[in-house]
Structure formats: structure tokens, C-alpha cells
Amino acid sequence: MKFHYPELLHGGDYNPEQWMEQKDTIWKQDMQYAREAGINTLSIGIFSWAYLEPEDGVYDFSWMDEVMDNLAANGIKAVLATPSGARPAWMARKYPSVLRVTENRLNNVFGGRHNACYSSPDYERKVTEINTRLAERYKDHPALLMWHVSNEYNNDCHCPRCQERFRDWCRARYGTIENLNRAWWNSFWSHKYSCFEEIISPSSLGEEENVAHLLAWRRFSSDNLVRFFQTEIAPLRRITPDVPVTTNLMNTFSGLDYYALGRAMDVSSWDNYPDWRGDERDLKTARISAFHHDLMRGVGDQKPFLMMESSPSSVNWHTINPLRKPGTILYQGLQAIAHGSDSVQYFQFRAGRGGSEQYHGAVIDRTGTNRTRTFREVAEVGATLKQLKGVAGSETRNQIALLYDWHVRWAVEGAWMLHRHHERYVETVRDFHIELGRLGYGVDMVDELSDISGYKVLIAPMAYIMRPGFGEKLKAFVENGGTLITTYVSGYVNDELLTYMDADPSPINEIAGRHVDECDALDDRTFAHFVWNGKKYRVKEVAELSTLTTAQTLAVYADRFYATKPCFTVNGYGMGRCYYIAVRTDEDFLNDALRYILNEANLQPILPKLPEGTWATERYQEDGTRFVFVQNGTHEKKTVMLPKAMKDAVTGKMVYEQLEMGELSVAVLMDE
Ligand code: GAL
């Protein structure tokens, strides 16, 4: 199901249950302020369980009825949550199995929020009961827009039920214990199991060094959570089949394969909390956010996503929580839209008077009024989003895909090699993303299971592990004319983390026309160099030494004992090509190499010659209407040269050739 609403959403998390005793004043004022701020959606019920079910089996929806009616009466849509992000105290007392057990086998006690065991039958039953009641009660309510399932699902549990499920997961994956022993290389340290019953979860109290065991546990925990999500949404799907379902994600959070979760929901949504500082550091922050937005869109199969949360002012949980310079909130919101979001939503609409989030930014902050800078800035976002209504539902049409895969990350970060605990997978992928932006290209994030056949270029940095079918997919992609760019530490191991050997070569070897003999880890005082197209580049951290089979050399090392060995190669394969970058370099080489390769692949940037610190993205409506978003991520003014006159979609004015941009800003342009 594709989520579609005819307007861009503007709103945020709303917790009226914190103001139950001030219904007549505060609740009324909330609606008035929401209208003033151009808010058309509010997310409710996220942490309301104790108010919806004050005692086991005793429900009270009367207050939520009132809230839903208020929203409808004010033309505001409800993103209605299931309350499983936090539990009432009575539940923990009556059904202790709902709480997690730590990896050191300690039982958690009541408190906090994301503290649930996703294998607890009691929890499943209670969640199913309340979700069923919510869906039954509000299925025909005019305010109901979509389901916000739980909140920021995360982490694992080591209770006996989870252990049993892990063993079942292993049985299903490996069939026999011999297969598992072979796959996990359990002849090492005499760790051979004689039956599945001997398998337990990784822990610092016992086994925590077997990389395959660790990966299996991460995969199981992720699968178990996706299964729990399916359980959570079963009553919603049954009772409200036409209401889209989402759950809010946390960008590169490592504990859960977001692509797997994304495939189970209708629209991807996420919580965006950049560390804005109001100076030149914001450029890096803006680039990281751009990467996160694209990743969260990728998780949702490139459909429009939602920025479910962001702070309308400062946050309260960074180490330092500075105020936002005027204009930052508008930039933060429009940046999300530029990368494919159909919403700008905040945490939170109204700040509570107590609790740990009393000082977190809010549309209505602790003054309780609309007479604040934050409120005015939020209202400005609201007015701008109204002007951009036509963007709602539009999608990207990028020709470049960039691989970011949770299994690759788990495998790389678990491996004992090179720079232990500093493999820098996320940063490496991000570095490619940044350079693509610098060069003016839009990019789609994909994982190894995504359909890549429609892209012209696939960039797969550090694609360490080959998940089933990925090697064949890569071969078909390049054979059919695609350009593959891959790097050091790619295709080292199969899906079970067993290294490929000459007798059983990595699929990457054939496509890249080379194989890796050795890989060097350089410390921060050791560098190598190479020259390409007359320019000298520095090699840092990782340097692979390889033998070429069919590949051609583009550059060789200039120094160290690897001098004259190839470090940048290209291989013709079928109708396509595979470029192999065997070294970690600085951004200058990535930029030059990408410019060269994308030019060879005949790909045109969205806008050429963008000034430093600016980048462009595009969204298209089905009828071909195109929106070009130009971002200035710096605190300096920038002039962007346009190849033709375009219309500013916010002001309706024409922009001729020169687009003048203020600091930290987004221009939305349309073809005329
Ligand atoms: C999010 C969370 C919200 C709120 C917010 C504060 O991670 O989903 O409930 O705590 O952080 O920034």
C-alpha cells in the first residue's frame, strides 16, 4: 500500500494525557495553537498505555475519543500510535515476562520505556488486545490517518524464551547441527555443538568471539523483532486494511535490519535529531542528515517517507544542547522534503511540565504560549509547506544506487581484522554519498536484497559479505551494461562469514577481474600514495594488494613495498564495467574518481558546477512534474548558476540563471 495524502504533513507528537486535568483550558488552546501553526497532523497515544488500560483488562478510551473528536473538528489528522513503546507499572508486576533480560542474564525491572521482551507471550497477548481495541474503536473515525506502531523498536533480550526461539531459528536455518558446526567453523577452539539445545545467546559471561554466532544472534534478534512487528500489526491489518502502517526508525541504528522492517510496513518514517551548532560545523551535520534521509527513503523502497520526529528547537539529550540559529528549523524541515519526505513532524507539540523531556524543544515550550521564536518559526514552516502542497506524493528517479546493508555492517564490525572496532563501514558509505552530492547527483540507498536492475550505476563500498543471490545479481547487473563501483574489503566472505578461497572464489573476483592477495591496515602515521591522471593522492588506513586477471590498471601505488602494484582498476564485464578502488583515500580522490566514472557512464548531474557546500535533489510527480531542490548547507551566502530559468515553487517567482541562496537554506524550483 502506498501512503498518500494530498498535502505535506506538518505536526508532531502530542501527549494530551499529560494534561488530563486541564482539558478545558490546555486541550482547547492546543487546537487553537495547532491551527495557527499550520499543523494538519498530530501523533497521539505513543506512550498512553496506562491511560488507555489503567488496570489489566479495564479500558478507558473516553479521553482519547475526545482528543480524536477535537482533532477531527479542527481539520487535523491523527497518526494514531499503538502504545507498546512503554508499559504500565501494573503490567510489569503482574506479568514480569514482559520485561527484558540483559546479555548478562539479569532481569530488568519496571521503568524506562523500550524495555520489552519481544518473545513474551504475555506481552504479545496484551499488545494484541489493546491494538485490537484501538482499531475497532477508531476504524471509522474521520481523524484516523495512519498507524504509528510502537516507538523506536530496538535491542535484544536474553530470556529463556528468546534463547529457545534462537535455537528454533538456528534449526530452521541449518537443518542439522553438523551444518551449523560447519557454517560457524566450530572446529575452532573445540566449540563444536552436539545438539541445538547447547546453543545459547552471545554474552561476555561466555561466548562472544565467534563471529558467525554473533552474526546469527543479530540476525535472529532482528528477525524476532520484525516478527513481533507483524504480530503488532495483525489486528490493524485485519480491522483497518486501508490504513497505512509505519513505525519510527533511527537512521543507522545498528540493532535491527531496517530494510527487513521497511519491507513489512507501508511507509518508512524516522526521527531526525541533527546536532546543529550554528557555525561551519553544520555543513557536515547537514550532509549526514542528507545521508540519513536518503537511507530512510531507501528502507521504504524509495517511496515518500515521513520525518516523524525532529526538534522544533534544541534537544535536551545531546552533550551540549544549543539553541538553533533562526532559520535552522525551516532548513531542517525543507531538507527532509528535498530528500523525499512527505512530512515535517516534531517531537513534541507541547512540552510537559515535568519528566526528563521538560526542556526538550517543543512547538509550545515551557512558556505554554505561542509568543515564542520557536512558535513563529514553526508557523513559517507550516505556511511554506502549504505552498509546496504539489510536492506531496512525488518520488525520486535516481540512476545511481549506493549500497548500505545492515548484514554487511554487522559482518564488518564483527570481524577481527584491520582496525578492530574502527572498520568505519558507515562513514565509508557516507563518504561516497557526500561526494555524489558535491557532484550534483541524487542517489538511492539500497541493500543486497533490493532490486538494482533499473539503475545505471551501483556503488557498493566495503561489500564484505555476499548474501544469498547477491553475487549473481551483481553479475547480471554488470553483464547487462551496469557500472559497478566497489572497494577494498568487498566480497571477502560468504553469507556465513566463511572466507572465499581460490578454489571457491568470491563472485566479486570475476566481475572485478582481480583477486586480493593481502590487505594492509595503516595506522595514523603511515600513508601510501598513488598518481592518477597526473595528480597525487594519499592512501590511508586500508590498502589492498591484488593480482589482476582480466582487469586493467588505472593507477598503481607509488611507494612502500607495494609500489607498482595496482590500486585502482577497471574490468569490462559483459556490456558493463566494474571499477575497483583498493584503497581508502581522502575525499579528493573519491570526488575525482566519481566524476570520471559517472561521466564515462554518461550520467548528467541534476545541476552542474554547484558551489561548495550546496547540493541538489529531485522529485517527480507521476505526470512528470519535476521539483528541483537546491540546498545550501553552509552559513554563507551562495550563488548557484542554473542552466535555464526556473520557477520558485514557494514564492511563484521566476529565477533567472542565478539563484541567490541565503545561509542554511533550501530553494524549491520547478521547470517553466
Ligand atoms: C525520540 C523518541 C521521542 C523523544 C525524542 C526526544 O528518540 O522517539 O519519544 O524521546 O527522542 O528527542
Side-chain angles (χ1 to χ4, degrees):
M1 185 193 315
K2 182 182 165 186
F3 165 74
H4 184 57
Y5 192 65
E7 293 169 19
L8 295 171
L9 299 180
H10 186 221
D13 285 21
Y14 177 40
N15 304 303
E17 69 275 19
Q18 292 181 18
W19 303 91
M20 209 77 100
E21 287 158 17
Q22 290 93 339
K23 275 187 193 173
D24 293 337
T25 49
I26 297 285
W27 285 21
K28 284 212 176 90
Q29 201 185 49
D30 285 340
M31 294 298 99
Q32 182 204 324
Y33 285 170
R35 283 200 316 271
E36 269 178 40
I39 279 176
N40 59 8
T41 180
L42 288 168
S43 309
I44 58 168
I46 302 174
F47 299 114
S48 304
W49 204 333
Y51 291 84
L52 294 171
E53 190 179 356
E55 287 174 44
D56 193 9
V58 177
Y59 295 91
D60 176 9
F61 291 98
S62 59
W63 66 272
M64 191 172 258
D65 292 349
E66 237 181 282
V67 173
M68 288 289 278
D69 292 349
N70 284 345
L71 296 184
N74 285 279
I76 296 170
K77 291 289 178 188
V79 173
L80 183 54
T82 66
S84 67
R87 290 137 303 286
W90 60 254
M91 195 183 292
R93 186 154 58 103
K94 192 157 174 189
Y95 307 112
S97 81
V98 304
L99 299 177
R100 266 179 213 169
V101 172
T102 67
E103 56 112 15
N104 284 340
R105 280 52 173 169
L106 293 172
N107 294 319
N108 279 2
V109 294
F110 172 71
R113 40 180 176 172
H114 309 116
N115 179 13
C117 166
Y118 300 117
S119 304
S120 157
D122 287 329
Y123 202 51
E124 262 185 46
R125 181 173 49 79
K126 292 308 294 173
V127 163
T128 303
E129 273 171 16
I130 192 136
N131 291 4
T132 305
R133 280 167 196 265
L134 277 168
E136 287 290 359
R137 192 155 190 109
Y138 299 111
K139 62 176 189 285
D140 298 319
H141 200 286
L144 179 62
L145 177 68
M146 69 188 319
W147 291 108
H148 176 303
V149 178
S150 203
N151 190 69
E152 295 185 344
Y153 277 127
N154 61 57
N155 295 353
D156 52 5
C157 167
H158 296 254
C159 75
R161 290 171 312 277
C162 285
Q163 305 278 355
E164 196 46 55
R165 281 211 166 133
F166 179 43
R167 288 188 275 273
D168 286 344
W169 184 93
C170 291
R171 285 185 186 99
R173 185 174 173 97
Y174 301 103
T176 65
I177 200 69
E178 290 75 24
N179 287 344
L180 179 142
N181 281 326
R182 225 172 278 129
W184 292 9
W185 206 252
N186 282 339
S187 43
F188 181 71
W189 287 354
S190 229
H191 278 185
K192 182 166 95 71
Y193 296 106
S194 43
C195 58
F196 282 102
E197 285 66 32
E198 288 167 3
I199 295 174
I200 53 174
S201 66
S203 160
S204 54
L205 301 174
E207 181 65 89
E208 61 169 355
E209 289 170 42
N210 182 339
V211 290
H213 174 229
L214 277 172
L215 179 64
W217 174 254
R218 300 200 83 157
R219 286 174 158 169
F220 155 74
S221 299
S222 182
D223 287 355
N224 196 36
L225 225 157
V226 175
R227 186 203 49 77
F228 184 81
F229 174 75
Q230 304 275 18
T231 309
E232 271 234 28
I233 66 173
L236 314 179
R237 290 278 192 230
R238 181 169 53 79
I239 301 162
T240 57
D242 300 325
V243 179
V245 164
T246 189
T247 181
N248 50 338
L249 311 176
M250 299 176 277
N251 59 66
T252 54
F253 171 68
S254 73
L256 181 52
D257 177 0
Y258 276 166
Y259 280 97
L261 193 54
R263 289 181 178 115
M265 57 182 157
D266 300 309
V267 50
S268 158
S269 67
W270 81 285
D271 302 341
N272 178 27
Y273 292 101
D275 190 7
W276 303 117
R277 293 296 173 101
D279 58 27
E280 71 287 349
R281 287 171 291 183
D282 285 350
L283 175 57
K284 178 147 192 226
T285 303
R287 284 176 164 154
I288 292 174
S289 289
F291 170 67
H292 290 161
H293 283 306
D294 283 349
L295 181 62
M296 296 293 94
R297 191 184 70 247
V299 160
D301 202 19
Q302 315 306 339
K303 289 182 289 191
F305 64 94
L306 303 176
M307 180 167 76
M308 187 60 85
E309 294 179 23
S310 61
S311 178
S313 169
S314 38
V315 296
N316 68 336
W317 51 268
H318 290 166
T319 320
I320 300 175
N321 297 286
L323 289 177
R324 303 320 190 205
K325 217 173 158 183
T328 306
I329 298 311
L330 179 63
Y331 173 71
Q332 176 180 274
L334 291 184
Q335 181 184 42
I337 306 292
H339 286 274
S341 174
D342 262 5
S343 80
V344 175
Q345 290 156 279
Y346 310 104
F347 180 88
Q348 49 195 334
F349 179 65
R350 183 188 278 276
R353 293 188 65 189
S356 63
E357 291 180 334
Q358 62 192 150
Y359 296 114
H360 192 288
V363 177
I364 305 166
D365 64 13
R366 66 191 141 122
T367 65
T369 74
N370 59 355
R371 296 185 299 277
T372 60
R373 176 169 72 92
T374 298
F375 190 90
R376 285 193 299 277
E377 292 199 23
V378 167
E380 187 192 355
V381 176
T384 310
L385 294 181
K386 276 210 179 83
Q387 297 303 114
L388 294 176
K389 190 175 162 182
V391 174
S394 59
E395 298 188 11
T396 50
R397 292 187 186 169
N398 295 318
Q399 296 181 302
I400 304 171
L402 175 58
L403 188 89
Y404 178 100
D405 186 295
W406 264 263
H407 297 242
V408 173
R409 176 173 177 189
W410 294 335
V412 169
E413 291 180 353
W416 293 67
M417 61 172 183
L418 300 175
H419 307 84
R420 185 83 183 117
H421 301 310
H422 298 282
E423 300 303 337
R424 297 165 55 81
Y425 174 69
V426 182
E427 292 87 337
T428 302
V429 179
R430 212 169 61 199
D431 286 348
F432 276 92
H433 187 271
I434 290 173
E435 295 316 316
L436 288 169
R438 269 210 175 109
L439 292 168
Y441 292 93
V443 57
D444 286 354
M445 304 301 300
V446 296
D447 76 347
E448 291 191 359
L449 303 188
S450 302
D451 179 6
I452 50 168
S453 58
Y455 294 101
K456 292 232 162 72
V457 174
L458 172 70
I459 308 174
M462 296 179 83
Y464 176 64
I465 187 172
M466 298 272 110
R467 294 171 68 188
F470 186 58
E472 293 70 42
K473 200 151 62 175
L474 282 184
K475 283 184 186 172
F477 174 76
V478 184
E479 259 167 7
N480 291 326
T483 298
L484 172 66
I485 305 171
T486 187
T487 73
Y488 52 90
V489 189
S490 285
Y492 276 22
V493 292
N494 69 15
D495 196 41
E496 293 296 345
L497 302 182
L498 295 175
T499 47
Y500 286 108
M501 297 173 68
D502 283 0
D504 166 28
S506 167
I508 293 268
N509 290 3
E510 186 182 325
I511 312 170
R514 51 173 282 147
H515 63 256
V516 180
D517 300 315
E518 296 177 278
C519 187
D520 205 0
L522 309 183
D523 63 30
D524 56 7
R525 286 177 40 186
T526 313
F527 301 95
H529 300 87
F530 65 97
V531 176
W532 177 54
N533 282 342
K535 190 167 162 186
K536 190 173 181 188
Y537 300 96
R538 189 174 77 146
V539 175
K540 60 181 185 188
E541 297 167 11
V542 190
E544 274 181 354
L545 308 179
S546 339
T547 302
L548 305 194
T549 47
T550 54
Q552 289 170 354
T553 302
L554 294 173
V556 295
Y557 291 102
D559 44 19
R560 291 182 57 78
F561 61 90
Y562 6 106
T564 75
K565 287 194 176 293
C567 62
F568 180 33
T569 58
V570 61
N571 188 44
Y573 188 77
M575 293 188 291
R577 283 176 189 184
C578 174
Y579 292 88
Y580 197 102
I581 301 171
V583 284
R584 185 171 286 160
T585 64
D586 297 309
E587 59 193 35
D588 56 350
F589 175 71
L590 283 190
N591 194 286
D592 291 343
L594 284 173
R595 179 183 289 120
Y596 165 80
I597 297 170
L598 298 176
N599 189 41
E600 289 280 296
N602 259 327
L603 291 193
Q604 304 308 320
I606 298 169
L607 289 175
K609 298 198 184 108
L610 283 161
E612 176 57 12
T614 66
W615 60 99
T617 52
E618 279 175 327
R619 294 179 66 170
Y620 289 83
Q621 285 293 6
E622 263 174 45
D623 66 4
T625 306
R626 181 175 77 128
F627 297 90
V628 175
F629 299 83
V630 190
Q631 290 180 52
N632 176 8
T634 74
H635 284 283
E636 293 154 20
K637 291 182 182 159
K638 295 280 170 177
T639 304
V640 176
M641 299 307 291
L642 302 178
K644 59 171 189 172
M646 297 185 84
K647 192 170 90 183
D648 183 312
V650 178
T651 62
K653 290 190 184 143
M654 290 302 296
V655 186
Y656 299 96
E657 281 165 20
Q658 269 182 230
L659 171 69
E660 302 297 344
M661 301 194 70
E663 63 174 305
L664 218 57
S665 62
V666 180
V668 190
L669 304 173
M670 295 177 75
D671 298 306
E672 249 299 296

